[in-house]
Amino acid sequence: ATGVDVIAYADMVTTFIMEQDWNEAKVAHIAERTGVRCVSAWTSLRDALQALGVRRFSVGTPYPAVIHATVRPFFEAQGFAVVGDATLDILAMGDVPKIDGSILEAFVRALPKSGADAVVLLATDLPTFSSIARLEDACGCPVLSSNQVILWASLRAAGVAERLPGMGRLMEL
C-alpha cells in the first residue's frame, strides 16, 4: 500500500539463532507475499562480502557474549574464515545506539586483523555511518557494518546506482 521499492528485514541476530537458511526463506516469503524485493541484514552482508571478494574477516559486535558466541560458527558454516572476533558485551539493547564514536573506533582498532580482507561490524542499532571512512583508513581494509550493507543492498535492489562518498569502499562500487 505504501508503494515501496524494497523492504529491508533489519535483524542480524535471528540469522544466528534460527535454523540454517531461515533468513533466506524469510526474505523470500516476504518478497512473495508483498510482491516487493526484500533484503535482510544477512543477505545484504553476504552480497557485500561477495562484491568485495572478502573471504576472511574480523568481526565485532556489541552483542551479549552468549549471542556473540554464535557469530563465528555461523560464518564458518557459510565458508568464511573469521580471523578474529570480539564483543562489547552490551546487555541493555538500549545502550547500543548510544555508543560513542571514539569507543567504537578503539574497539575496531583492537580487533585482530592479521590476514583479514575486511572488518565486519554487526548490529543494526550500532552507530557506524560517521566512523566508517576513518575506520577503513585506520584498518587499511574495507569496514562493513550492518546498516551500511543494508543501505547498499537496498539501493541496488531499487535500481539506484548512487555512490555515497565517505561511507566506505562498499559504497564506492
Side-chain angles (χ1 to χ4, degrees):
T2 61
V4 299
D5 295 316
V6 180
I7 296 171
Y9 177 74
D11 184 16
M12 192 69 189
V13 171
T14 53
T15 304
F16 305 129
I17 63 174
M18 300 299 282
E19 65 270 5
Q20 187 172 349
D21 299 327
W22 177 89
N23 193 278
E24 288 88 346
K26 179 56 78 175
V27 167
H29 175 74
I30 293 169
E32 181 182 315
R33 185 162 184 204
T34 64
V36 176
R37 290 183 179 149
C38 184
V39 300
S40 72
W42 161 238
T43 62
S44 299
L45 178 58
R46 178 199 64 205
D47 294 349
L49 291 167
Q50 182 179 21
L52 290 170
V54 172
R55 299 302 306 158
R56 301 173 52 81
F57 55 85
S58 188
V59 63
T61 78
Y63 302 150
V66 68
I67 293 173
H68 181 82
T70 64
V71 171
R72 180 185 285 264
F74 171 81
F75 284 117
E76 290 175 347
Q78 301 299 316
F80 294 100
V82 177
V83 301
D85 69 283
T87 181
L88 292 168
D89 195 22
I90 296 175
L91 301 179
M93 288 180 13
D95 290 343
V96 175
K98 299 173 188 172
I99 294 172
D100 183 74
S102 62
I103 292 171
L104 179 64
E105 291 176 32
F107 175 65
V108 171
R109 283 189 177 98
L111 283 171
K113 291 179 274 311
S114 179
D117 302 322
V119 170
V120 172
L121 300 173
L122 302 179
T124 55
D125 49 358
L126 187 65
T128 59
F129 281 179
S130 63
S131 300
I132 291 173
R134 283 190 307 279
L135 292 171
E136 284 192 347
D137 288 344
C139 295
C141 64
V143 173
L144 302 173
S145 75
S146 293
N147 287 337
Q148 174 208 36
V149 299
I150 291 169
L151 175 59
W152 173 80
S154 296
L155 290 171
R156 287 178 40 145
V160 177
E162 202 66 33
R163 290 183 178 185
L164 298 176
M167 290 285 295
R169 295 179 195 181
L170 177 66
M171 300 305 262
E172 295 289 331
L173 291 179

